[in-house]
Amino acid sequence: MSARETFGYFGPEGTFTQAALGQWHHQHNDAEAAEALLAESVPYATVPAALDAVREGEVDAVMVPIENSVEGGVSSTLDALNSEHSEGTLRLVGEVLVPITFVLAVRPGTREDAITGVGSHSHAWPQVRGWMAKNLPGATYVPTLSTAAAAQGLARGEVGQYQAAVCAPMAAQVFGLETLATDIGDNVGAVTRFVLVKRARGRDGGSSTPEPTGHDKTTLVLYQHDDRPGGLLELLEQLATRGISMTRLESRPTGAAMGSYCFSIDVDGHVADERVGEALMGLQRVAAQVRFLGSYARADRRPVDVRPDASDEAYVAAQEWLDSLR
Ligand SMILES: O=C(O)C(=O)C[C@]1(C(=O)O)C=C[C@@H](O)C=C1
């Protein structure tokens, strides 16, 4: 029997990312096993530290945040996943959507008029900006490594700069804090998307890419050739002509020079689908570089809508026809 898989997450305990990993465990195990797996999962203080842990084999898989419905892509994750040493080593193997609700938490007994600073994660603060402007207009924002790290800091009493944390209800509970206000997010219905990341090859040397399900997504990073007018259009044409929808497109600076950008994208479909394979070959020809980050099942299980002329059967028939001519 192979040893049980080990997991890590962007922590400490009480982050939304931990809730995402809990959701994943419950979707794939019975309730008792899921709770046991979550209790054993290892927290890492930053996203790069969590990815390093999986890369170095300390754990088999880690959960990290990638995109929020209000604030957009989590740049620290996008950049860490796209670093030189992630290429070929890491794979996204699944995703989870978690509804986000924030509370304002304090050390028990702290009064609202004593709050001059509020700690939280840089992706959480913009989601409560309106509430803060209305309710604590004089408070200064103090960035912390995560929402739960802000709560942990308060509990340890090691902070002088902030007296309240914007965090998940769970973090307030874990760190024994008092909740002064609930549901303080400006957008009701805010959701964050998290991804589970593994090494590209498992312990047995086999590929970590999950089998296609019919409701899959593929994440790529595309680099265009410099000084090529219409470069982005040329890349996107490779997808459009094969009937492949794009569900996310973000440009990120490559860091090489001012104005040098790459594109982080999600497309419908799995690398094993004929049309996605053909599009990847097309991209490989026209792009300066293509980084494949993974193909995995969509969290919402929405089936991918495939045009008849873009189906696997249509590609196979076209290939057979070409073979007959040759
Ligand atoms: O700090 C946390 O609790 C996280 O899990 C990170 C994170 C993020 O990076 O977007 C997750 C969800 C919220 O949108 C705010 C912060």
Side-chain angles (χ1 to χ4, degrees), residues 10-12 14-20 47 64-69 71-74 76-77 98 100 102 120-125 127 144-149 166-168 171 190-194:
F10 170 42
T15 54
F16 290 101
T17 314
Q18 186 196 27
V47 170
V64 291
I66 193 164
E67 181 183 6
N68 172 263
S69 61
E71 258 309 283
V74 181
S76 57
T77 304
V98 176
I100 301 296
F102 294 108
S120 201
H121 187 265
S122 56
H123 234 70
W125 186 253
Q127 300 181 58
T144 55
L145 286 178
S146 65
T147 55
V166 170
C167 59
V191 174
T192 297
R193 179 177 154 236
F194 297 84

Side-chain angles (χ1 to χ4, degrees), residues 203-267:
R203 288 188 216 163
D204 59 0
S207 165
S208 299
T209 302
E211 293 296 318
T213 62
H215 48 81
D216 303 294
K217 189 184 261 189
T218 292
T219 301
L220 306 170
V221 183
L222 309 177
Y223 289 76
Q224 59 184 357
H225 289 286
D226 292 339
D227 306 326
R228 190 137 146 182
L232 175 59
L233 180 64
E234 203 176 31
L235 300 179
L236 300 185
E237 267 170 0
Q238 297 296 326
L239 304 170
T241 54
R242 294 171 176 99
I244 298 173
S245 288
M246 197 168 52
T247 52
R248 184 180 60 86
L249 166 69
E250 277 169 87
S251 60
R252 292 290 307 149
T254 63
M258 178 60 92
S260 167
Y261 283 85
C262 59
F263 302 100
S264 172
I265 69 167
D266 291 339
V267 299

